[in-house]
Amino acid sequence: MDLTDAYGRKIEYLRISLTDKCNLRCSYCMPSEGVKRLSHTDVLTLEEILRVSRVMTDMGVCRIRLTGGEPLVRKGIETLVQSLGELDKKPELALTTNGVLLADKLEAFYGAGLRSVNISLDTLNRETYASLTGTDALTEVLSAIEQALSMGFKVKLNAVSIQGVNDKELPALAAFARDRAIDVRFIELMPIGCGARHKGIPQDVVMDMLEDKFGKADKAPDAEAPIAGLRGPAEYVSFKDFKGNVGFISPMSHSFCESCNRVRLTVDGMLKLCLYYPDGLDVKKLIREGASDKELAEAIREGILKKPEKHCFSETNDSEEKRSMYEIGG
Ligand code: SAM
Ligand code: SF4
């Protein structure tokens, strides 16, 4: 019984949000005013997360990414990674983190079989970093990146391009891929939650900036299939003399809904089918009401049939999902 939605898309990729807490406060993701927190009982336990992961990997999910909020502030993440690595179907494991707490955990993650780390970093300028995130932690992030690379992790940098915030710094971020075997991906800002308070920069504008600085780019077709043969939504290019590639994830200007193979498990236990819409399947309720694995699998299979055909971010410049990314799992 595999997982295919009503549009024939095979669901192979599960993004799991471990927490709605974060040690940073990026202005496009988390409001500076009071943040509502979920109560302890509303949050899926690690055992519940593991169970959903087991059921879904048995149904064909082969890639699991841990995210949040900031996943590294969730107690027990090392044990969870270990247990996910021991699942029968051996999913490819990956992590998205702001990198601040990463250095101390790399060894445990490597030992548990995790090999792929995406680090979100929107600027290399210490002042911009502190003003964007509310914390002076750029040095810790940069040192975690070097450590992860030296240990053999596949490292990607994710930078959201935002007008008036980091627009002048995008070439410097891309240059990270010139000097290291690292892919740097520019993500278009989505008008979700606090994201709607800022203005993003379209892929083509970023590309022009980079070509002005580094010369004409070539297409780099095979960059996104390093481990399990799965393609992600990024389009990659390579610049002359760069060790890594530069990628673009552009939900606003180059939507990739047609090939979307992912669903999200939110921190409060909803299987969320599309970023744009708030709807989903209440997996936590099913589990806590005593559903068997078979019942859970059947409900997930039926829930996936409701995955929307596409988002409408660019048409509406808004989102039906009113929560921010830290709450739903970016
Ligand atoms: N705290 C971790 C981190 O920052 O990598 C994981 C969670 S964070 C919500 C995941 C990703 O979502 C980050 O790369 C962040 O830049 C991105 N993000 C947050 N809000 C966004 C928005 N409105 N549009 C596009 N990306 C966004
Ligand atoms: Fe935290 Fe990540 Fe959101 Fe920044 S983008 S506030 S690091 S969850």
Side-chain angles (χ1 to χ4, degrees), residues 234-251:
E235 283 174 29
Y236 285 95
V237 296
S238 63
F239 289 96
K240 190 164 179 298
D241 297 330
F242 271 48
K243 293 187 176 137
N245 291 307
V246 171
F248 296 93
I249 300 179
S250 308

Side-chain angles (χ1 to χ4, degrees), residues 191-240:
I192 291 190
C194 304
R197 301 177 187 177
H198 292 270
K199 268 197 151 177
I201 310 175
Q203 168 175 335
D204 296 354
V205 176
V206 177
M207 186 67 182
D208 284 348
M209 275 182 209
L210 301 185
E211 289 198 318
D212 276 353
K213 175 84 183 167
F214 301 114
K216 186 108 187 65
D218 289 319
K219 222 171 166 204
D222 295 318
E224 176 69 8
I227 303 174
L230 291 177
R231 274 197 68 79
E235 283 174 29
Y236 285 95
V237 296
S238 63
F239 289 96
K240 190 164 179 298

Side-chain angles (χ1 to χ4, degrees), residues 131-183:
S131 100
L132 177 66
T133 67
T135 307
D136 180 12
L138 181 61
T139 315
E140 285 85 334
V141 181
L142 294 177
S143 120
I145 292 171
E146 301 302 346
Q147 197 174 320
L149 280 172
S150 71
M151 289 173 68
F153 282 91
K154 170 83 187 164
V155 180
K156 294 180 206 156
L157 287 199
N158 286 345
V160 180
S161 336
I162 309 168
Q163 279 183 37
V165 173
N166 61 356
D167 35 4
K168 306 263 174 336
E169 299 167 30
L170 303 180
L173 279 162
F176 230 79
R178 179 188 59 204
D179 306 329
R180 299 166 187 77
I182 204 169
D183 293 341

Side-chain angles (χ1 to χ4, degrees), residues 19-31 67-71 96-100 120 122 129 132-133 160 324-327 329-330:
T19 177
D20 60 344
K21 297 197 177 84
C22 188
N23 49 346
L24 299 184
R25 197 171 273 244
C26 305
S27 61
Y28 59 88
C29 178
M30 201 176 269
T67 180
E70 172 49 38
T96 296
T97 171
N98 60 37
V100 177
S120 304
D122 305 317
Y129 184 93
L132 177 66
T133 67
V160 180
S324 285
M325 288 290 235
Y326 78 94
E327 295 172 283

Side-chain angles (χ1 to χ4, degrees), residues 228-284:
L230 291 177
R231 274 197 68 79
E235 283 174 29
Y236 285 95
V237 296
S238 63
F239 289 96
K240 190 164 179 298
D241 297 330
F242 271 48
K243 293 187 176 137
N245 291 307
V246 171
F248 296 93
I249 300 179
S250 308
M252 303 299 289
S253 67
H254 295 64
S255 141
F256 38 84
C257 299
E258 229 173 60
S259 57
C260 180
N261 63 353
R262 63 189 58 193
V263 289
R264 292 174 160 78
L265 183 62
T266 64
V267 63
D268 58 348
M270 296 290 290
L271 196 65
K272 185 171 164 57
L273 305 168
C274 172
L275 270 180
Y276 185 86
Y277 299 96
D279 326 81
L281 173 73
D282 193 342
V283 170
K284 183 180 71 194

